[in-house]
Amino acid sequence: LQEVEYILPEIESDGSVVMTIRTTSKNYDSRLRYTLDTWWKSVANKVYVISDDYDRESVQTARRILGEHFIETKCGSEYHSPSLACKCKAELDMLYKADARWSWRFDDDTYVNVPLLMRTLAEFNSEERILIGRTTMGPWNLLFRGREYNITFPTGNALCMSRPLLHCL
């Protein structure tokens, strides 16, 4: 895993929900722009964008719009494991630092119905270890410490973790 190089800002959080959007500068015009024009506006103070510095002009535009909510990494803009793992590490560091009851991470092409999201979260106990997401992998039979578990794994464009689950990572 490559060394992660970034500076996390002071986190503005009311302690309830914090969100990250993982993107690359190559996608600013084709994806991130639409997010910033739509659902992002209603929760701008809760959203942080994790990106790279591939295209300096695009980075400057994003920084102008997002301010301290834009986290520039040196992770690379490629869509492969090292770059994605690097950005994932930056996201998890940011979410852990925010220490909110709920931590959401989204891909840059995800549309979020924020009112529905907040109503849905209210149905869960944030003090339990909860992972919410779209199940696309599994089920798998996993043998762990002599016990068999049947698991599925949420993956894809949106993933939510409660604080107790995040603190287990």
Side-chain angles (χ1 to χ4, degrees):
L1 189 62
Q2 71 191 69
E3 184 66 27
V4 180
E5 207 178 299
Y6 53 85
I7 297 172
L8 293 178
E10 289 302 314
I11 307 299
E12 300 171 28
S13 174
D14 63 5
S16 62
V17 176
V18 68
M19 304 171 185
T20 61
I21 300 171
R22 182 170 54 206
T23 191
T24 178
S25 58
K26 293 177 182 178
N27 291 341
Y28 290 173
D29 290 333
S30 62
R31 293 181 177 189
L32 186 62
R33 178 175 64 125
Y34 297 108
T35 297
L36 298 179
D37 287 343
T38 57
W39 68 268
W40 169 80
K41 291 178 180 181
S42 67
V43 285
N45 64 327
K46 298 178 184 298
V47 179
Y48 293 82
V49 174
I50 311 291
S51 189
D52 54 64
D53 68 346
Y54 176 76
D55 180 342
R56 298 304 307 160
E57 186 176 328
S58 293
V59 166
Q60 294 309 316
T61 300
R63 184 165 297 292
R64 222 176 13 259
I65 296 168
L66 296 161
E68 291 297 312
H69 286 246
F70 179 80
I71 300 169
E72 179 184 344
T73 70
K74 307 292 185 202
C75 293
S77 61
E78 299 81 17
Y79 191 78
H80 60 72
S81 294
S83 292
L84 293 174
C86 179
K87 287 179 190 168
C88 183
K89 167 80 166 83
E91 280 182 296
L92 288 173
D93 285 348
M94 215 296 310
L95 294 171
Y96 193 82
K97 183 177 179 180
D99 201 33
R101 287 193 306 273
W102 295 106
S103 296
W104 278 93
R105 63 117 357 246
F106 299 104
D107 285 348
D108 57 7
D109 59 350
T110 304
Y111 179 80
V112 180
N113 180 331
V114 175
L116 180 59
L117 172 74
M118 297 306 185
R119 284 195 306 272
T120 301
L121 285 180
E123 296 176 14
F124 292 95
N125 180 354
S126 65
E127 297 305 313
E128 294 179 8
R129 292 180 186 164
I130 296 176
L131 179 64
I132 302 169
R134 179 177 57 119
T135 303
T136 58
M137 297 173 67
W140 292 318
N141 292 322
L142 175 70
L143 186 61
F144 180 71
R145 294 184 180 169
R147 186 171 170 201
E148 188 172 318
Y149 297 87
N150 185 300
I151 64 167
T152 56
F153 190 74
T155 61
N157 56 357
L159 188 66
C160 179
M161 294 170 276
S162 64
R163 180 186 300 147
L165 181 63
L166 181 65
H167 285 211
C168 286
L169 299 179

